[in-house]
Amino acid sequence: MSINADKNTELYNECTTGDAEGNETTPLLSNGSAPTRVKGASFASSVFNLMNAIMGSGILGLAYAMASTGIVGFCILLLVVSSLAAYSIHLLLKLCDQTGINSYEDLGGRALQKPGKVLVGIAIVIQNIGAMSSYLFILKSELPAAINSFLTSHGTGDAWYQDGRLLLIIVTICIVLPLSMSPKIGFLGYTSSIAFFFMLYFAVVVVVKKWSIPCPLPHNVTTHQDTFQTSNSSDSECTPKLFVISRKSAFAIPTMAFSFLCHTAILPIYCELDRPTKKRMQNVTNVSISLSLLLYLISALFGYLTFYSHVYSELLLGYDAYLRHDIMVTTVRLAILLSVLLTVPLIQFPARKAVILLLRGSRPFSWPVHIIVTLLILGVVLLLAIFVPDIRHVFGLVGSTTSSCLLFVFPGIFYLKISGRPLKTFDSIGALLLVVFGLIMGIISLSVIVITWAQSS
């Protein structure tokens, strides 16, 4: 899930669309009146905004996905998922031009009436809750590590500031909750842009530090998650695997789907684009996804080539045992923590808005409802972050369900229901294959993940 996948949700009602005929060269202006639209965002600015929407916590789990599928297997899957993501956006943009609708929920309503709108709203709520849980999980695991990096010794681990769950509760109540209570997204939208540069810095650190950790891994090294099997450490462990097939591979595609989901931000960014034609917005999408794919691939590859089979499902944790006081690792950890603190309230905003719309419709604003829904959402997210033992479970479960629906299934179904094009046309066949792929991927991944959980418990 992206850091800012929903930061433009507030713009849904501010965007205007036109040309019910679906002309690809007709800008999204107004409903038949004279054009009054002010100059919108430039092409480069829109690319940055969409990349900012794509990049998120998924980048921390992609090295583990590569270790679970092999380098070549990972590259193939990443290319397939990113290409399908771009194609599903192509279908959404065509529907936007054809119908004049500029929100994902309303497309669901047009395609499947009220049940469709409710279904999309529920999927967005679950997706955002999963994204917030992944961020709070990062906070739970990285905050004690950040504190330890400033200490002269590891200590016993019994101090309160080394308890990730306690720190998570304190930070959530003292920082996240007050920021989340604001009824307007306001300043959080501006500060969120910094998070993209944090992710870029993260990728740079992963590349640089690949040569700071020897392979085979040092002996007698243990961490709070796993004990490395040093008795089997050998040069063979430093040979990268090209293809890997195991139960862990079931987490790979959901993690990738989680990482490329930006579809709820596409239409608002389309509305903001200067000279917003479908072709121009598709170019924005292709450039953004290509650059994000490159950044994902670099960070995953060098993360995997640093730890090989011992790579963590949350990559930064792997550096604790070897580069505990390293300045670059410490600064990137602090940068990630800061982005998490600024992002969770941002993602909570559209989740709360969707819940209130599902429960109350378009009734006037109510502070009691606003507060209760905010507390309920953060309570659920906090419980998930506290009790989920591994971030890959969040990526796997959310990625195989709501991410696959929002990324593959819904765009295909909406196009087939709304476009009115014959089933033999290229896009209709593509939409059908998109639905089939999303359902098969989601069902197989979810089944293997559930079976793995049952056997491990």
Side-chain angles (χ1 to χ4, degrees), residues 8-9 13-14 19 27 54 59 74 79 97-98 134 163 187 206 268 279 297 335 337 346-347 395 408 419 425 455:
N8 294 302
T9 302
N13 295 325
E14 300 174 11
D19 193 49
I54 295 172
I59 195 173
F74 176 88
L79 184 61
D97 276 358
Q98 178 180 335
S134 70
D163 186 342
F187 68 95
V206 171
K279 181 178 180 180
L297 181 60
L337 290 175
L346 187 70
I347 301 178
F395 293 151
F408 307 122
S419 68
T425 60
Q455 292 183 347

Side-chain angles (χ1 to χ4, degrees), residues 56-115:
S57 59
I59 195 173
L60 298 177
L62 288 177
Y64 181 85
M66 180 175 284
S68 302
T69 56
I71 294 179
V72 176
F74 176 88
C75 292
I76 294 174
L77 291 176
L78 194 69
L79 184 61
V80 169
V81 171
S82 61
S83 299
L84 292 179
Y87 182 70
S88 65
I89 290 173
H90 158 75
L91 297 181
L92 290 178
L93 294 177
K94 290 195 71 171
L95 293 179
C96 180
D97 276 358
Q98 178 180 335
T99 63
I101 293 174
N102 50 50
S103 84
Y104 209 142
E105 296 94 330
D106 289 336
L107 281 177
R110 173 66 71 88
L112 303 173
Q113 307 303 319
K114 186 176 180 179

